[in-house]
Each structure stands twice: as structure tokens, then as C-alpha cells.
Amino acid sequence: MRKTTAKHLTNDNEGIAAAVRFLNDGRLVAFATETVYGLGADARDGQAVARIYDAKGRPQFNPLIVHVQDLDAAQRFGVFDAQAAQLAAAFWPGPLTLVVPLAPGHGLSPLVTAGLDAVGIRVPAHPLARRLLAAFDGPVAAPSANPSGRISPTTADHVLAGLSDRIDAVLDGGPCPVGLESTIVGGAPLALLRHGGLAQNDIEALSGPLAAAGPGIRAPGQLASHYAPRARIRLNAMHASADEVLLGFGAMPCDLNLSARGDLIEAAANLFGHLHNLDARDMPIAVAPIPNTGLGRAINDRLNRAAAPR
Ligand code: TXA
Ligand code: MG
């Protein structure tokens, strides 16, 4: 991990331009939204998204919310049925995240959705977030800008207290007016996945009664629908047998390598894409050992789930 001190960017053209440069360079920028500060990265850039998990010290790849400027932009990444489009029209911009099926050709890193085929999307209402998204003109993946296991930040100082030496910049929009994370709905029938800044009643006035939040949803690593390959997975393999394909790590002969140079950020960025590719070959997958440090913990968590009997 690089040791730096995050730049404190102010709410003006210069601050926004600097934030956009960081995002274009694959770096991490925390920014104000009306709910809580988000830790943003270009959602199309797998290594940038991997840095989010690394900076937060997340032990698992929970799916991240994609932030966009408006419903038009959202429809490039997700498929909105009539009900989702109606909620978006009513409550965006605002503290509502809609989990919808990924659109064909979406171009998002698979790490954003943790390999799932649905994506959480939100159009934030904070003027600074809106200016940033308009200037960047691309999808920004952003979880709350706190170290894993700590509470969500509602000021730039909170962000810096937790992540100052792990991120590139914070774009200061003052205290967050809502101060609670967004409400999340998704699935068919439409379910409440997380309570948040938009009241359930307000949603139900349009959608009718929502199904209850499942107990596993708050800890999304436990999502029943987490991505698992069809193929049998064998971990800690140095070699593949004749009827297996080998997913490598570090310099070694293999079918696909997560990172030939042994870089865990690169490995995380490649994890879901490589698993999908190898899975398409219809052979059991042997996986090289991954060091259990830094992002390696999240990689191993996901590999262990994929290897577990089901
Ligand atoms: O207000 C908010 O939602 C803030 C600001 C920055 O937008 N973001 C936020 O992100 O709270 P985070 O990562 O702390 O929580 C996002 C949660 C995930 O833990 C997961 O439960 C859910 O959103 N989520 C995101 N994408 C999902 C998906 N594809 N399927 C199911 N759940 C998803
Ligand atoms: Mg959070």
C-alpha cells in the first residue's frame, strides 16, 4: 500500500478538476453525497475498484453502488423495468439505490458487482456529487468512505480520520444533509434490501408493499446468490492435472494468471473475469495459492466460497 496523505479538495472548479484527474488515473477520491461520503473510483477500471477494497480493508468483495448523473446514464449499466424506472423518476436524484439486472455491454468491472449479474445504481442529489459526475462523465463505484467495520463518514474530517493515508483525495462538500446511507431496493418481487435515507412508506406509496429485507443482506458477503462457478474448484494447487485448467498467481505456467507479477490489486481486478473465462471451458479449475494478506484475504474468501461443496 502506498503511504500518502490525501489531498483536501475544495468545492470549486479546481477541486472538481483535480478529482476528475484522479479518477481518470485510476485513483481513489472520497466525495460528499447527500447521504454519506463515498469512496469513489472509475467503475470500469478493475484495478481502481480493487484499490477501494484494499483501502477499506474489506475482508470480502461486497458489491459496490455505481453512481451516475441521471437515469439515461444509469440505463447504460442496468436494465430498468417499468417499476424501477418509475421509482427512479420519482426519487432520483436522491437517497435511493436500485438493484437492477446488468445491461448487455455495460463495461463495468465485474469486481463492482462482486461477480453478481445485478448492479446497485444511484443518482446522488448533492450538488457537488452531481458536478463531479457530470465532469467525469462516467460511472463511479463508491461504498461509504470508512475503513471496513467503522461507521460511515458524514464530513471530510471523518473521511480523513479513517482513510487519510489510504486514498488520494477527499472532495469536501461540507456535512452530509441526510447523514444516513441510501435506501436499497431490488429483486422481483421488489424487496427492501436496506433501510436508509428514503422512507419505506414513500417508496411503497408508488410500488405497493415491499418484500422484507433478508437477514443476510446487511452482510452481503452472505448473499445466497453470490457468484460461484459451475466448475469444481481445487485450491492451493501448484499444478493442474490433465483434466483441470489452472488459474495461476505469480510467475508460473498456467491457463490464466491472476497476476504474473504477484500483485494482489491486479489479481483482485482479474478474479471474476478469469473465473468466468475458465468456467466456460467446462473443466474443473485448480487455483494457485494466494497470499492471505491485504486484498488476498478477500480473494481467498471468495475462492473458499466457490470451492465449498454446494
Ligand atoms: O448512501 C449510500 O448508499 C452510500 C453513498 C456513498 O452512496 N454508499 C454506501 O455504500 O452506503 P456501501 O458499500 O457502504 O453499501 C452498499 C451496499 C452493499 O453493502 C450491498 O449490500 C448493497 O449496497 N449492494 C450494492 N450493489 C448490490 C448488488 N448488486 N446486489 C445486492 N446488493 C448490493
Ligand atoms: Mg458502508
Side-chain angles (χ1 to χ4, degrees), residues 67-275:
H67 298 69
V68 295
Q69 328 174 35
D70 53 29
L71 178 57
D72 266 2
Q75 284 172 326
R76 294 212 289 275
F77 307 109
V79 177
F80 288 72
D81 63 12
Q83 189 174 39
Q86 182 191 32
L87 292 176
F91 298 116
W92 282 354
L96 173 68
T97 295
L98 292 163
V99 176
V100 297
L102 277 166
H106 56 79
L108 300 173
S109 161
L111 206 49
V112 169
T113 59
L116 299 175
D117 51 16
V119 57
I121 308 185
R122 163 167 126 75
V123 176
H126 195 294
L128 181 57
R130 292 177 65 68
R131 288 176 67 198
L132 175 66
L133 291 168
F136 178 59
D137 196 24
V140 173
S144 50
N146 50 281
S148 183
R150 309 259 283 276
I151 58 171
S152 295
T154 56
T155 66
D157 281 347
H158 295 165
V159 174
L160 291 170
L163 293 174
S164 170
D165 59 347
R166 297 171 161 239
I167 67 176
D168 296 277
V170 58
L171 187 54
D172 191 343
C176 300
V178 175
L180 269 183
E181 294 91 342
S182 61
T183 302
I184 306 180
V185 299
L190 199 67
L192 181 68
L193 304 183
R194 179 177 76 182
H195 288 283
L198 178 65
Q200 181 175 357
N201 290 347
D202 292 338
I203 299 171
E204 289 183 332
L206 279 187
S207 68
L210 295 167
I217 295 290
R218 273 158 199 276
Q222 296 158 17
L223 283 176
S225 55
H226 69 254
Y227 168 69
R230 287 168 301 143
R232 192 166 50 75
I233 306 265
R234 182 168 70 85
L235 301 179
N236 296 315
M238 294 309 294
H239 308 278
S241 60
D243 63 347
E244 290 176 326
V245 286
L246 181 60
L247 180 60
F249 178 83
M252 62 190 291
C254 56
D255 294 271
L256 282 178
N257 204 318
L258 289 171
S259 172
R261 62 173 195 264
D263 176 337
L264 289 166
I265 291 190
E266 182 181 36
N270 285 330
L271 178 65
F272 293 111
H274 281 10
L275 282 174

Side-chain angles (χ1 to χ4, degrees), residues 51-68:
R51 287 193 186 99
I52 291 179
Y53 291 100
D54 191 41
K56 285 183 64 95
R58 270 196 177 173
Q60 298 173 329
F61 293 123
N62 299 340
L64 305 177
I65 297 172
V66 174
H67 298 69
V68 295

